[in-house]
Amino acid sequence: MAHKIILDTDPGIDDAMAIFFAFQSPDIEVLGLTTVYGNVPVTMSAQNALTLCELADQDIPVTKGVGMPWVGPESGYAHFVHGDDGFGNIDFPASKRELDPRSSAQYIVDMARQHPGEITLVAIGPLGNLALALRLEPELPNLVKGVVIMGGAAFVKGNVTPVAEANIWNDAHAAEIVFAAPWDLKMFGLDVTNDVPFTLDFLDELETKNPKLGGFVKKSSQFYVDFYSQDRDDRVCFFHDAMPLAYLVDPSLFEFTRGHARVSTDPLNKGQTTVAPEGSTPSPLWLEAQQIDAATKVDHDRLRKLYIDTYSY
C-alpha cells in the first residue's frame, strides 16, 4: 500500500529532485504540495511547485504557506545555491495553473481530519507550516501517521552557522514547536545528507532513465554543482531533500539514533538541533523533551540505485 503524504517544500533544486522521486515512486501517493519560504520567497516557492506538477503531469493541490519566520524579520534566500529562480537560472517557463485557495497549514489540517491516521507529513523546508498547523489543530499529532523531515544536524556541524542547518535555522522557533509535539518524528539531517555526494555521472543517468524529469534535474543542477564544487577537486552536489522520501520506500537504508531533542532559539546558537541519546543524561530539562529518531547512517550505493530505479518508472 502506498504511503499517503503531504509534501511541504520550498523548491529549490534538490526539492525538485525529491518531488519528482515522490511522483515517480509506486510506493508513495502525493496528496498535495504545501509550500513555504526558504530557498526562495514563498510566492516563488508556490509558483515553482505548480511548475513541477505541470512538468510531471500531476494534477494535485498546491498551496501557499508562511512567508516569514515564526519570530523575527524576513530571512535571506539561498539564491547563491539555487539561483534567482530556484531552478538554477535555467529560465524554465512558469506554469499558469492556479493555487488551491487554502493556506498550507489549513490544507494540512483539512487533509489530516479527512484521512485520520493515514498521512505522513514530509517536510523538506523550514517548518513554519507544520508549526502553524499545530496551532490550528492541537490534535494534529493524533491525526497523522508520522512526520519525516529534512533538516538539522544532530552530531555534525551546521551548514549556515557552525551549529545550524539551513531549514531549521530559517525558522528555529517553528522548528522547536514541531520537535516538541508528541508525534513520531524522524529527522534526516546533515549527518546523512552531507554524507552522500552525487557526481555528474549520476545526473547523466537520471536524464537517461527519464529524459523529461531527469533532464530537468540535470539542467537545473549545473548551478547547484558549481556551488558545491567550490574548493573541491571533483564536481558534485547533494540531494538532501530526497532522503526522507527514500526512507518511506526503504527504511532499511538508514540507521537511527533515538534521543530527546531540542532546537535552540538563542540568537548565537539559533537553529542548533541537539539530540541526547537515550540514557545519556539525567537532566530533567532533557528528559522532558520529546524523543525523535535522528538518521545517522545511510547505505550510499543502495540509495543511489533507488533514486535511479525510481526515475525509471
Side-chain angles (χ1 to χ4, degrees), residues 30-61:
V30 185
L31 300 180
L33 300 183
T34 54
T35 63
V36 63
Y37 81 93
N39 292 323
V40 294
V42 69
T43 299
M44 183 179 292
S45 176
Q47 178 60 64
N48 285 354
L50 289 171
T51 298
L52 295 174
C53 286
E54 183 171 302
L55 181 62
D57 298 319
Q58 295 286 323
D59 186 17
I60 60 172

Side-chain angles (χ1 to χ4, degrees), residues 229-286:
S229 300
Q230 299 173 86
D231 303 319
R232 295 180 64 112
D233 294 330
D234 52 350
R235 288 182 58 75
V236 302
C237 64
F238 295 85
F239 289 112
H240 307 276
D241 287 344
M243 284 202 190
L245 296 155
Y247 163 78
L248 294 179
V249 175
D250 187 355
S252 72
L253 290 168
F254 297 91
E255 294 181 19
F256 295 88
T257 296
R258 185 161 181 80
H260 301 275
R262 290 189 178 276
V263 178
S264 175
T265 56
D266 174 79
L268 182 62
N269 298 317
K270 185 182 79 167
Q272 181 176 13
T273 49
T274 303
V275 177
E278 289 181 304
S280 66
T281 176
S283 166
L285 289 174
W286 282 97

Side-chain angles (χ1 to χ4, degrees), residues 120-123 130 144-149 178 183-186:
T120 299
L121 303 179
V122 182
L130 272 63
V144 299
K145 186 176 180 180
V147 177
V148 293
I149 71 165
V178 171
W183 45 23
D184 176 20
L185 189 148
K186 290 182 170 57

Side-chain angles (χ1 to χ4, degrees), residues 3 5 34 37 70 78 94 103 142 144 146 148 155 162 167 183 202 212 218 233 255 281 302:
H3 295 274
I5 73 166
T34 54
Y37 81 93
W70 199 262
S103 71
N142 297 321
V144 299
V148 293
F155 306 109
N167 283 343
W183 45 23
F202 174 80
K212 186 178 182 183
K218 177 183 175 181
D233 294 330
E255 294 181 19
T281 176
R302 289 173 56 216

Side-chain angles (χ1 to χ4, degrees), residues 20-22 24-26 249 305-313:
F20 290 156
F21 174 85
Q24 288 290 110
S25 175
V249 175
K305 185 176 186 303
L306 176 63
Y307 289 156
I308 294 296
D309 289 348
T310 302
Y311 267 68
S312 302
Y313 285 116

